[in-house]
Amino acid sequence: MATSNERAELHKTIWKIANDLRGSVDGWEFKAYVLGSIFYRFISENICDYFNTRMHEAGYPDFDYADMSDADALGGKGDAVQTKGFFMLPSQLFQNVAKNADQDENLNEHLSAIFHSIEASAKGTPSEDDMRGLFSDFSVDSASLGSTVIKRNQLLAKVLKTVAQMELGAKYNDTENDTFGDTYEFLMQMYASQAGKSGGEFFTPQQVSELLARLASYGNPNIQKVYDPACGSGSLLLKFSKTIGRRNPNLKYYGQEVNPTTYNLCRINMFLHNVNFDNFDIRLEDTLLKPQHMQDAPFDAIVSNPPYSLKWEGKDNTLLINDERYAPAGVLAPKSAADLAFAMHMLWHLSERGTAAIVEFPGVLYRGGDEKKIRQYLLKNNYVDTVIQLPANLFFGVGIATCIIVLKKSAKADASVLFIDASRLFQKDGNKNVLLPEHQDKIMQLFQNRKDEQYLARLVKNDDILANDANLSVSSYVEQEDTREVINISEVNAKLETLVAEANDLNKKIAQLIKEIEK
């Protein structure tokens, strides 16, 4: 397995290649071609590895699926679709197409036909929904690639050739070796960092994802199902694949996303992290109005970074107040800010022993009106476990300091809320702040200890919080350390007196010297 330094160097090289490759094409738009090509290469090598492994074990050590004829390969289609969720003919493999891409005058048409064939191979099978539309953002005829078909094909060929040269070798049954998945996540992070606010809508920084996964899985070694109702590109869910997923290969991943582009990114991300199609269920739909996984609930761990202050129908939709997810609070989140609607949705989906860790916009912690009533409901029922104030400027396109609210149902031992001030636990990295592993460890230590620590943590009874307008803002309970320099006025005055005396003495000497010169 590559060392962290080797991985960092690989990522740096790949980003330079990807950035140089696009030329004048907008980076945010061009990501579909780089990321799509990486995925195309991955599934091609993956299906080859599947057939090659079987044939090598059967006594044919020199067999290579990439060298087979399409006619001979068709016999393995049924098994491949059942096991891998898709099928590709040898002529459709990335390595075979990329090899001659710059001589293919009809490359755009060939790629379009190949992508359609891959998706069609799953039609009528359990993997149909997981494969449908995966290449829809890879538009081979987009004018942004060039003004003519020739120019577009030249750039497409260049992308394929470049991705083919990337050192992305992988062992497809080795969960420790995740070069494709790591590279994909790295590139998404880089594209998001350049895209600003729009990038922040689909990617949560990895260190925040790691913290959320650690919080949601703490004290629960038997997690079977994880869920994110606003899953974006899936980075939060996939943090479980590198921890719990290694102990439980049957871990199930559930997510819902309203944006078609990020919905596709999430499913691709699952494949690239070796999560098989029958272990994930990602749906495209509006979570608040049309939840897709109520029949799959409850979930043992929920992690999410839902959109901040999202406008929604709220009380304008008379059906919502009777929705079993929102009804218990007696009110709906305001139309101008659906943050707590997401929280109520997640609470409904949470198992009795489960934990939900949710990134929240700070305003929901202290604003009045219906948001206050929802907080009162959560506190009276002892659902709020912990509130963590994060440092500012962690997220792409969002400079404010966000927070994490941890919800539990019946797993709490006390009727209190732990408040953690982690606002100073960060390191500057360029124009962003990052949570280093030691910062995460400190937060987890405070979370586990669940007791007061000056300037960092305070355990407060629910009744006291309710008496304070159900205010869940960390700054209302954790004292801020005064880091201003302490000035001793007496010492300063004494120093001033000494300086004045020295100045007077010096002035006398200067005056005496002048008199002597004049004489």
Side-chain angles (χ1 to χ4, degrees):
M1 185 171 65
T3 66
S4 57
N5 286 337
E6 289 172 336
R7 186 181 293 113
E9 284 303 312
L10 171 64
H11 289 170
K12 192 185 301 181
T13 301
I14 288 173
W15 175 242
K16 185 179 186 310
I17 291 171
N19 212 28
D20 292 345
L21 188 63
R22 69 181 177 89
S24 61
V25 185
D26 176 70
W28 184 242
E29 186 174 349
F30 193 66
K31 75 182 187 302
Y33 299 97
V34 176
L35 298 177
S37 295
I38 288 174
F39 176 59
Y40 177 29
R41 176 180 162 183
F42 173 84
I43 60 174
S44 296
E45 294 183 11
N46 192 292
I47 202 79
C48 277
D49 180 78
Y50 169 72
F51 283 119
N52 291 348
T53 299
R54 295 178 67 184
M55 294 301 289
H56 295 170
E57 290 174 350
Y60 299 92
D62 297 325
F63 175 84
D64 189 348
Y65 182 70
D67 294 333
M68 281 190 79
S69 69
D70 286 353
D72 291 339
L74 277 171
K77 179 177 179 179
D79 288 342
V81 172
Q82 183 178 1
T83 305
K84 306 302 295 183
F86 65 95
F87 175 72
M88 298 172 68
L89 293 167
S91 65
Q92 298 172 331
L93 296 171
F94 173 90
Q95 52 268 49
N96 288 335
V97 173
K99 188 164 45 181
N100 302 308
D102 44 8
Q103 281 90 46
D104 188 348
E105 295 179 354
N106 300 307
L107 179 61
N108 60 332
E109 294 178 6
H110 289 161
L111 285 174
S112 181
I114 289 169
F115 297 158
H116 177 75
S117 176
I118 295 170
E119 293 179 15
S121 71
K123 193 170 183 178
T125 73
S127 62
E128 180 177 0
D129 289 341
D130 299 313
M131 297 301 299
R132 184 189 295 117
L134 281 176
F135 293 98
S136 58
D137 291 317
F138 198 113
S139 177
V140 296
D141 294 315
S142 173
S144 66
L145 295 176
S147 57
T148 66
V149 172
I150 293 175
K151 289 181 178 178
R152 291 168 201 164
N153 281 340
Q154 286 174 343
L155 185 52
L156 288 171
K158 192 176 178 183
V159 172
L160 295 181
K161 289 280 190 182
T162 303
V163 170
Q165 294 166 9
M166 291 179 178
E167 297 180 11
L168 299 174
K171 297 176 182 177
Y172 297 99
N173 295 314
D174 181 2
T175 56
E176 297 290 335
N177 191 330
D178 199 15
T179 312
F180 271 94
D182 282 348
T183 299
Y184 191 77
E185 292 258 353
F186 169 76
L187 285 173
M188 284 196 294
Q189 176 176 316
M190 295 304 294
Y191 283 123
S193 67
Q194 291 203 341
K197 185 176 181 180
S198 59
E201 291 175 359
F202 88 103
F203 189 80
T204 301
Q206 289 196 19
Q207 68 271 14
V208 179
S209 300
E210 289 166 5
L211 177 60
L212 290 169
R214 292 176 70 178
L215 291 166
S217 59
Y218 175 72
N220 189 353
N222 299 313
I223 292 175
Q224 301 298 316
K225 299 188 293 184
V226 298
Y227 174 58
D228 183 350
C231 59
S233 60
S235 58
L236 274 70
L237 287 173
L238 285 166
K239 286 303 169 190
F240 288 91
S241 72
K242 297 185 177 183
T243 52
I244 295 166
R246 286 175 179 161
R247 301 193 303 269
N248 177 14
N250 295 315
L251 182 67
K252 305 293 185 185
Y253 305 80
Y254 297 84
Q256 189 166 337
E257 175 57 41
V258 72
N259 182 299
T261 295
T262 46
Y263 162 68
N264 288 336
L265 288 172
C266 183
R267 291 183 296 154
I268 289 173
N269 214 0
M270 291 287 161
F271 280 109
L272 288 174
H273 283 83
N274 288 316
V275 178
N276 205 35
F277 74 92
D278 53 0
N279 275 15
F280 70 83
D281 185 357
I282 309 299
R283 303 288 182 87
L284 176 65
E285 193 51 85
D286 186 316
T287 294
L288 298 179
L289 302 181
K290 296 181 179 179
Q292 299 293 299
H293 292 106
M294 294 182 75
Q295 73 281 1
D296 302 305
F299 299 105
D300 308 303
I302 299 177
V303 286
S304 194
N305 178 18
Y308 310 138
S309 300
L310 178 73
K311 291 181 173 58
W312 75 312
E313 294 181 7
K315 60 184 179 183
D316 285 350
N317 185 333
T318 55
L319 298 177
L320 290 176
I321 191 59
N322 294 316
D323 189 303
E324 57 190 304
R325 297 169 295 160
Y326 312 126
V331 295
L332 295 170
K335 294 190 298 178
S336 60
D339 308 72
L340 289 181
F342 278 104
M344 291 295 294
H345 169 92
M346 285 181 254
L347 181 66
W348 187 93
H349 284 77
L350 191 62
S351 71
E352 290 298 314
R353 301 298 299 175
T355 302
I358 314 162
V359 178
E360 293 281 15
F361 187 81
V364 305
L365 300 179
Y366 56 79
R367 288 192 297 241
D370 290 338
E371 288 179 307
K372 173 183 172 180
K373 293 177 182 176
I374 294 174
R375 294 196 306 272
Q376 288 174 330
Y377 164 77
L378 295 173
L379 287 164
K380 288 176 181 177
N381 287 276
N382 200 27
Y383 292 142
V384 184
D385 180 86
T386 303
V387 181
I388 303 168
Q389 180 65 59
L390 293 174
N393 205 28
L394 288 179
F395 294 83
F396 302 114
V398 181
I400 61 168
T402 55
C403 57
I404 296 173
I405 186 168
V406 179
L407 300 179
K408 292 185 178 181
K409 281 191 174 176
S410 63
K412 285 184 63 180
D414 54 49
S416 303
V417 175
L418 176 67
F419 292 92
I420 297 175
D421 185 357
S423 60
R424 295 182 182 177
L425 299 179
F426 68 90
Q427 177 172 295
K428 197 78 175 169
D429 183 13
N431 62 351
K432 302 301 294 180
N433 295 330
V434 295
L435 287 174
L436 296 178
E438 54 263 37
H439 300 139
Q440 294 183 46
D441 290 344
K442 181 59 181 178
I443 293 171
M444 289 305 300
Q445 179 191 51
L446 295 166
F447 179 72
Q448 294 160 20
N449 290 344
R450 202 167 176 79
K451 61 183 181 181
D452 294 357
E453 186 167 331
Q454 190 176 27
Y455 307 131
L456 287 172
R458 187 178 169 202
L459 191 64
V460 183
K461 294 185 180 300
N462 291 343
D463 288 342
D464 293 337
I465 301 170
L466 287 165
N468 188 29
D469 286 333
N471 185 337
L472 289 173
S473 176
V474 172
S475 61
S476 298
Y477 304 99
V478 180
E479 178 188 2
Q480 291 281 313
E481 183 179 7
D482 189 348
T483 57
R484 293 174 297 177
E485 183 181 356
V486 177
I487 299 174
N488 187 315
I489 298 299
S490 297
E491 289 182 2
V492 171
N493 287 336
K495 184 67 174 176
L496 283 173
E497 288 177 5
T498 301
L499 291 173
V500 169
E502 289 175 352
N504 290 336
D505 185 54
L506 183 59
N507 287 335
K508 288 178 182 178
K509 290 180 179 178
I510 291 172
Q512 182 62 35
L513 183 60
I514 291 172
K515 283 182 182 180
E516 291 177 358
I517 292 172
E518 288 175 343
K519 287 179 181 179

